[in-house]
Amino acid sequence: MSGRIALIDYGAGNLHSVANALKAAGATSIDITSNAAVVACADRIVLPGVGAYGACASALRAVRGMTEALNVRVLGGGVPFLGICVGMQLMAEAGEEFGTHAGLGWIRGKVRPLTPADPTAKVPHMGWNDVVPAVPHPLIEPGEAYFLHSFGFESDRKGEGIVATTEHGGQVTAAIGRDNMLGVQFHPEKSQRYGLALLERFLAWRP
């Protein structure tokens, strides 16, 4: 039983496609919400994100009480949390896109421009690519997922916090996490069976 899922609406995500994917994975109670009080009572929280890091961080902070509710419910309450694309990136300490912008600070590291060593690897990193587990994690399995991003997470502590990687002219972070939180750089809602299976595992997760 997944309980009540808060899908956070801060003007920066594919809300309906993510909601539809969660329903296809078995979710029965999804609140698409910009209400911090709803998030503070949720049993699971999903933070999507599309666009520039700074704009997304500002938009999230502009929702009254939202970052406080996230900290209370995710860090304090231990509810399962899933960040998607920029929603994953916001878990970091900061992002360096059009200046440096503070993130939620849940995972130590920063989001920096992708700089492939292979000149044939284009930016943005777009399309299907392998997801390779870096450490055992109950939600991450090997497979292929759909990516679309120009910036990536870099750990400041020798890979700490990195759960999975992919290859795009060098190693790129595909997922980060610790404790009850996971962030994925790829889009589960666009990743067909692989993405649906990940969402099914998230709905059943008891960290």
Side-chain angles (χ1 to χ4, degrees):
M1 182 69 182
S2 58
R4 295 191 70 84
I5 300 164
L7 178 57
I8 298 177
D9 179 5
Y10 62 113
N14 301 336
L15 292 168
H16 293 291
S17 57
V18 173
N20 287 338
L22 285 165
K23 289 175 187 173
T28 56
S29 179
I30 302 170
D31 293 312
I32 298 176
T33 184
S34 56
N35 187 335
V38 172
V39 173
C41 297
D43 299 304
R44 295 175 193 277
I45 297 170
V46 179
L47 180 66
V50 174
Y53 186 102
C56 289
S58 296
L60 186 63
R61 288 194 168 88
V63 181
R64 181 177 296 177
M66 186 59 77
T67 55
E68 293 83 358
L70 282 168
N71 282 323
V72 167
R73 199 70 183 126
V74 178
L75 296 184
V79 302
F81 172 91
L82 177 64
I84 297 173
C85 198
V86 180
M88 178 210 91
Q89 295 179 358
L90 291 173
M91 296 165 66
E93 293 174 295
E96 299 175 355
E97 184 172 5
F98 304 117
T100 300
H101 309 274
L104 292 166
W106 293 349
I107 304 286
R108 294 187 64 167
K110 295 182 174 64
V111 175
R112 298 186 170 102
L114 294 179
T115 54
D118 181 351
T120 65
K122 296 179 180 178
V123 176
H125 171 211
M126 180 170 64
W128 291 85
N129 210 340
D130 292 332
V131 177
V132 180
V135 294
H137 192 281
L139 301 192
I140 295 293
E141 292 186 356
E144 272 194 312
Y146 185 86
F147 291 81
L148 176 55
H149 63 115
S150 300
F151 287 72
F153 174 84
E154 295 181 11
S155 174
D156 288 345
R157 296 173 68 84
K158 295 183 179 177
E160 181 181 310
I162 295 176
V163 173
T165 62
T166 190
E167 192 74 21
H168 187 66
Q171 199 171 79
V172 174
T173 300
I176 62 176
R178 66 178 178 87
D179 307 325
N180 55 304
M181 59 187 81
L182 178 75
V184 293
Q185 183 62 72
F186 52 87
H187 288 273
E189 76 280 9
K190 296 179 181 179
S191 297
Q192 299 179 10
R193 183 59 213 162
Y194 180 82
L196 196 63
L198 182 141
L199 293 176
E200 288 169 355
R201 291 191 293 274
F202 172 70
L203 294 176
W205 194 24
R206 298 283 186 271

